[in-house]
Amino acid sequence: MRPFAYAAPASVPEALAALMAAGPDARFLAGGTTLYDLMKLGVEAPPAVVDVHRLPELAVVDTSGPDELVFGAGARMADVAEDPVLLSDYPMLAESLAKAATQQLRTMATVGGNLLQRTRCSYFRGGAPFACNKREPGSGCSALEGIDRAHAVLGTSDSCIATYAGDWAVALIALDAVVDVLGPDGARTVALADLHHEPGSHPERESTLAAGELILRIRVPTTRTARGSTYHKIRDRESYAFALASAATAVALDADGVVTDARIALGGVATRPWRAAAAERTLVGAPLTVDTARRAGEAALAGARPGRHNGFKIELAVRTVTDALRIAGERAVQ
């Protein structure tokens, strides 16, 4: 156990001030379901933690607005998943939360903190003697020549092939969500599509947040397309397992069954939440059939680079997109 200082400020400005005063290695603490894990693994050893999980301004959830849904970063995953508006009008959002982790973790974890969980793999968690460029930049990547069954096939580099494990961000990116952040240099808004880095040559840099920035809220533009949506997750076991492949899909159809709008994002197969814009374009203006859904799935996996043991993920992801589009299409006509 490494000793660390603890602060529980009463407001967001106080939290930012406390973090800056504690130094560059201090960390915000919300649900703690990721930070505690990383501390036990020795990946994180903050000299101080600033607890923000009781701040009321971070817990606000408003799904009643005409233009956008608003989720405070400190809202619990379990609570947001049960929001009536999400269950009826945005099932992909509710399902992405309900299918993440276990009920115990969802009751503690926050929707803002969930976005920042580490892109990781068993070699990252294992530590020495395994090389990991995320834990120790420049040390190498044991996964490249190791067991890579669960690793990414999209967005990889010669430095890292770890998979982004989250579900919530996959659904959010499909709906053009943005996050509002506040830090030492003021407030700014970041498109969720720009929040996560691909590994490139610096896999230790996973998000575009600057030092000391705190996510305040997540905003999702309202859209009727989301009524016909789903989050389809394929995993080795039903509970407490990351996706081998997942798809967040939404479609809008005209009276003849022709697609007028399509949203597709992938999880479990990429180094970050992966929006499949090219796949969406193959659907718009075409009828939603098994064949067109399959072609969209194939377009979503274009450019995939399999490793030694994860080549099966490509076909699995194609079928996952195909099935997800079928489910979304059925809901779109209800």
Side-chain angles (χ1 to χ4, degrees), residues 225-301:
T225 300
R227 284 179 173 268
S229 71
T230 190
Y231 183 74
H232 193 39
K233 182 176 182 180
I234 308 301
R235 44 194 162 171
D236 283 327
R237 58 183 184 271
E238 188 63 24
S239 179
Y240 201 60
F242 296 141
L244 288 172
S246 66
T249 63
V251 293
L253 308 175
D254 68 13
D256 297 319
V258 173
V259 177
T260 59
D261 188 20
R263 313 292 180 90
I264 302 172
L266 303 176
V269 294
T271 55
R272 59 173 175 81
W274 195 265
R275 181 76 178 266
E280 296 169 353
R281 292 192 291 270
T282 70
L283 285 172
V284 175
L288 183 59
T289 66
V290 173
D291 289 339
T292 57
R294 168 82 192 188
R295 285 198 293 272
E298 291 171 347
L301 272 294

Side-chain angles (χ1 to χ4, degrees), residues 163-229:
T163 306
Y164 178 81
D167 302 292
W168 170 239
V170 178
L172 289 173
I173 200 172
L175 294 178
D176 300 317
V178 301
V179 294
D180 295 328
V181 303
L182 183 65
D185 295 327
R188 66 189 181 106
T189 296
V190 182
L192 196 80
D194 298 325
L195 181 63
H196 298 92
H197 282 302
E198 291 179 27
S201 59
H202 289 282
E204 76 279 7
R205 302 174 186 170
E206 294 178 359
S207 85
T208 57
L209 292 186
E213 285 191 320
L214 175 68
I215 295 178
L216 301 180
R217 68 190 67 85
I218 302 158
R219 294 185 287 116
V220 182
T222 56
T223 173
R224 291 185 61 82
T225 300
R227 284 179 173 268
S229 71

